[in-house]
Amino acid sequence: MIKLSPKREAFCQAMLKTNNQTEAYRKVYDCKNSKPKTVHEMACGLMKDPKVSARLAELRGRVVERAEINAAELVKQIAEIATADPNELTQHRRVNCRYCNGIDHQYQWRHKGEFAKAVDDWEIARDAHEDRMKKATKKTEFKRPCPTDDGGYGYRASADLDPGCPVCEGEGVADLFLADTRKLSPAGKRLFAGVKQTKNGIEIMMHSQDAARRMLGENFGIFKTVVDNNMNHKGAVQTIATEVKDPIEAAKLYQKMMG
Ligand SMILES: [Zn+2]
């Protein structure tokens, strides 16, 4: 690193920002009583100093280097969004129904507590029915059968469905899966754009993969823009179409970028 006096260093830093030698000079030195011509001459003099110009070249090199690193990092982030698997964040899946894996295809409970609660609910409903019947003129029977645990326990939504299930006929039931977003892969985290609480439930938001792919394509010149000037009675109409370049060339560029 080239060492300069504090004022000269400040001048170089100001030059980086303004890219205008008189303006940079005025920022650092007191020019209240100086004529513009003098300020200009002084600034030119400073710029001619080999140590000042060497320091400026050094600083500008660093700016370029930083910009290159930032650009490379940005392209990497866009590539992560473009290639992430959205299934990592949310899945619509068909999972086993309660009868798929139950003993003899009977209703399968998650655990004993779930079954006990179902029996309690059934008893409450039956008692309420009996209370109503005490005052009713037309008596009816309580028809709902008491739940049994014949199908056994251990239902898990993630278990495979049974293609021979007589209840769902091997179609299973629809299940919506929302991932624990703390545990996503780096690409998955990049794709994730937060959650929103809506009146219909939780919405997982994602960055646009289409936009990311377009940006990548443009960055690597995979798409070229073809401008075609057509004339019609209303005047010149410009149509712009996007064409894909040689796919092998594009793939090579992409591989190079992904390292
Ligand atoms: Zn089933």
Side-chain angles (χ1 to χ4, degrees):
M1 191 182 127
I2 296 152
K3 267 285 213 193
L4 296 176
S5 70
K7 286 249 171 189
R8 287 179 174 224
E9 174 65 22
F11 172 76
C12 289
Q13 298 285 349
M15 265 306 285
L16 271 192
K17 286 193 190 111
T18 62
N19 214 21
N20 178 318
Q21 54 196 51
T22 28
E23 208 182 316
Y25 191 88
R26 282 180 191 282
K27 274 186 196 286
V28 179
Y29 296 92
D30 181 8
C31 304
K32 263 184 275 169
N33 303 318
S34 314
K35 287 179 186 152
K37 192 171 168 281
T38 319
V39 175
H40 179 71
E41 279 165 9
M42 295 298 281
C44 283
L46 260 187
M47 287 297 283
K48 280 180 192 142
D49 181 329
K51 276 178 90 178
V52 168
S53 53
R55 175 67 180 143
L56 254 178
E58 190 179 68
L59 287 172
R60 281 184 175 139
R62 271 189 218 160
V63 169
V64 170
E65 210 174 281
R66 250 194 328 264
E68 276 171 2
I69 293 169
N70 289 345
E73 179 55 27
L74 186 64
V75 170
K76 190 173 151 270
Q77 290 177 8
I78 295 169
E80 279 176 339
I81 293 175
T83 56
D85 180 3
N87 271 302
E88 224 191 289
L89 272 66
T90 66
Q91 288 172 19
H92 175 257
R93 54 194 190 187
R94 308 291 304 183
V95 299
N96 64 155
C97 83
R98 290 294 188 127
Y99 303 88
C100 274
N101 299 306
I103 301 161
D104 293 331
H105 290 301
Q106 300 282 314
Y107 191 95
Q108 186 185 28
W109 300 93
R110 288 180 196 278
H111 43 73
K112 292 205 167 171
E114 189 189 33
F115 172 62
K117 166 107 180 29
V119 174
D120 283 350
D121 289 347
W122 178 84
E123 281 171 355
I124 290 165
R126 182 202 55 196
D127 294 349
H129 179 83
E130 281 171 5
D131 277 353
R132 277 198 305 278
M133 287 308 106
K134 280 178 194 157
K135 296 170 209 154
T137 45
K138 198 180 163 214
K139 313 275 185 214
T140 57
E141 238 180 274
F142 184 63
K143 290 214 180 90
R144 201 199 305 175
C146 181
T148 75
D149 62 351
D150 295 347
Y153 300 94
Y155 175 81
R156 283 179 301 115
S158 58
D160 287 338
L161 51 85
D162 177 7
C165 173
V167 178
C168 71
E169 299 178 321
E171 300 251 313
V173 287
D175 179 60
L176 188 67
F177 167 77
L178 303 179
D180 181 338
T181 53
R182 296 169 304 174
K183 294 174 183 165
L184 299 173
S185 71
K189 280 194 176 130
R190 202 66 77 187
L191 180 63
F192 178 53
V195 286
K196 207 160 65 182
Q197 183 82 52
T198 72
K199 61 176 191 286
N200 298 320
I202 287 172
E203 188 186 321
I204 288 211
M205 292 179 293
M206 300 185 203
H207 293 293
S208 164
Q209 291 195 294
D210 276 349
R213 288 182 194 119
R214 232 179 358 255
M215 278 188 248
L216 273 188
E218 278 159 15
N219 182 62
F220 288 96
I222 293 170
F223 306 123
K224 62 178 176 192
T225 301
V226 181
V227 179
D228 178 19
N229 290 306
N230 288 329
M231 293 293 285
N232 67 8
H233 65 281
K234 284 180 186 157
V237 174
Q238 204 179 54
T239 52
I240 298 173
T242 305
E243 261 182 23
V244 177
K245 269 190 185 169
D246 176 16
I248 294 166
E249 195 62 23
K252 272 189 202 155
L253 275 165
Y254 188 72
Q255 266 173 352
K256 199 173 136 200
M257 174 201 65
M258 297 302 280

